[in-house]
């Protein structure tokens, strides 16, 4: 099973974007690339998502771009058709995990409880998305399960922001954090792509502080 975390470039930050159109997706990708961030998760929450991902992959080959919010086998195949480099799900089922494994692509299945983690663990999966992180117990949860699943690492998302991202990144079982806070909805609504770049740069500087 290919490691998703090892393919992420630069800082372990994963901006999550929900483009409403291909054009919006391309502007967002450009704004993120201009900040120095290298990774993007495009979530499948609009009709434009697959086309936006495909266009971003073609125009920004220097970025590492995956697809999230995949809920079933068809979504997994559609994401691969759109040239997603990694796959992310918000939650897990037997069928979904089997589809992810069969895809051969790197992936992070969503987990929110010890039983979710065990289901994925029993299939040999050691990298997972912890979602919704804040509502599911946040950093205390991750600390509590670290001794039980000592070889599992997580990308927490859901409720992560500039104030708590470093608390998550400081944990040994956290390899990256994701979220929409790096791409503020207000800036997107105003098509203020410079403000998106600024917010991404701010996230990057927070990470630089913790890495220093
Ligand atoms: C996700 O898909 O992980 C979440 O929607 C991101 O949650 P956030 O908006 O709280 O960052």
């Amino acid at each position: 099973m290919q490691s998703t975390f090892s393919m992420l470039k630069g800082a372990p930050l994963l901006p999550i974007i929900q483009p409403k159109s291909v054009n919006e997706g391309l502007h967002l990708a450009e704004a993120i690339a201009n900040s120095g961030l290298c990774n993007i998760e495009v979530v499948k929450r609009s009709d434009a998502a697959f086309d936006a991902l495909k266009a971003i992959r073609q125009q920004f080959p220097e970025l590492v771009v995956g697809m999230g919010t995949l809920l079933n086998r068809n979504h997994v195949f559609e994401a691969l058709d759109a040239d997603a480099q990694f796959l992310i799900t918000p939650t897990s089922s037997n069928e979904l995990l089997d589809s992810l494994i069969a895809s051969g692509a790197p992936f992070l299945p969503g987990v929110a409880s010890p039983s979710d983690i065990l289901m994925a663990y029993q299939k040999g999966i050691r990298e997972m998305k912890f979602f919704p992180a804040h509502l599911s117990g946040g950093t205390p949860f991750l600390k509590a399960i670290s001794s039980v699943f000592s070889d599992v690492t997580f990308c927490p998302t859901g409720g992560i922001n500039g104030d708590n991202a470093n608390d998550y990144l400081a944990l040994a079982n956290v390899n990256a954090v994701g979220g929409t806070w790096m791409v503020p909805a207000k800036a997107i609504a105003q098509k203020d792509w410079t403000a998106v770049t600024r917010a991404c740069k701010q996230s990057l500087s927070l990470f630089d502080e913790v890495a220093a």
Side-chain angles (χ1 to χ4, degrees), residues 5 7-15 35-40 64 166 169 175-178 182 200-201 203-211:
F5 291 128
M7 71 181 300
L8 297 180
K9 289 203 248 169
L13 298 173
L14 191 56
S35 76
L37 287 177
C38 307
N39 311 300
I40 299 183
V64 178
N166 282 343
L169 286 168
N175 275 357
V177 294
M182 290 175 260
C200 289
K201 274 191 178 154
S203 312
L204 202 48
S205 66
L206 278 172
F207 170 70
D208 288 344
E209 279 168 29
V210 90

Side-chain angles (χ1 to χ4, degrees), residues 14 16-18 41 43 45 68-69 88-90 129-134 155-161 178-182:
L14 191 56
I16 295 177
I17 66 169
Q18 317 182 23
E41 175 185 344
V43 288
R45 294 181 201 164
T69 318
I88 300 194
T89 69
K129 161 173 165 134
F130 176 41
F131 173 79
H134 195 61
C155 175
T157 77
I160 316 289
N161 55 50
T180 57
W181 95 92
M182 290 175 260

Side-chain angles (χ1 to χ4, degrees), residues 1 89-98 100-101 107 109-129 148-149 152 154:
M1 230 170 273
T89 69
T91 184
S92 293
S93 70
N94 248 318
E95 184 206 295
L96 191 52
L97 291 176
D98 288 343
L100 291 167
I101 292 167
F107 63 87
V111 295
S113 68
S115 46
D116 288 349
I117 298 171
L118 183 62
M119 180 167 57
Y121 194 89
Q122 286 175 333
K123 291 180 185 286
I125 299 164
R126 297 292 182 266
E127 296 182 345
M128 306 176 195
K129 161 173 165 134
V148 181
F149 297 103
V152 177
F154 297 90

Side-chain angles (χ1 to χ4, degrees), residues 3-181:
S3 163
T4 305
F5 291 128
S6 69
M7 71 181 300
L8 297 180
K9 289 203 248 169
L13 298 173
L14 191 56
I16 295 177
I17 66 169
Q18 317 182 23
K20 291 182 287 301
S21 66
V22 170
N23 197 36
E24 183 178 286
L26 288 172
H27 277 298
L28 284 168
E30 185 176 25
I32 291 168
N34 286 342
S35 76
L37 287 177
C38 307
N39 311 300
I40 299 183
E41 175 185 344
V42 179
V43 288
K44 202 207 89 51
R45 294 181 201 164
S46 75
D47 292 342
F50 289 116
D51 287 340
L53 181 127
K54 203 183 271 185
I56 293 169
R57 287 282 292 126
Q58 280 164 0
Q59 296 201 27
F60 298 92
E62 71 276 22
L63 295 173
V64 178
V65 192
M67 177 139 252
T69 318
L70 306 177
L71 293 173
N72 58 44
R73 191 171 172 273
N74 285 348
H75 291 169
V76 168
F77 286 119
E78 284 174 287
L80 292 176
D81 278 349
D83 207 17
Q85 289 165 285
F86 59 90
L87 310 171
I88 300 194
T89 69
T91 184
S92 293
S93 70
N94 248 318
E95 184 206 295
L96 191 52
L97 291 176
D98 288 343
S99 304
L100 291 167
I101 292 167
S103 77
F107 63 87
L108 297 174
V111 295
S113 68
S115 46
D116 288 349
I117 298 171
L118 183 62
M119 180 167 57
Y121 194 89
Q122 286 175 333
K123 291 180 185 286
I125 299 164
R126 297 292 182 266
E127 296 182 345
M128 306 176 195
K129 161 173 165 134
F130 176 41
F131 173 79
H134 195 61
L135 289 172
S136 306
T139 54
F141 174 91
L142 289 165
K143 280 182 200 162
I145 48 99
S146 64
S147 56
V148 181
F149 297 103
S150 57
D151 54 348
V152 177
T153 51
F154 297 90
C155 175
T157 77
I160 316 289
N161 55 50
D163 293 331
N164 62 19
N166 282 343
D167 297 337
Y168 284 93
L169 286 168
L171 300 178
N173 59 350
V174 169
N175 275 357
V177 294
T180 57
W181 95 92

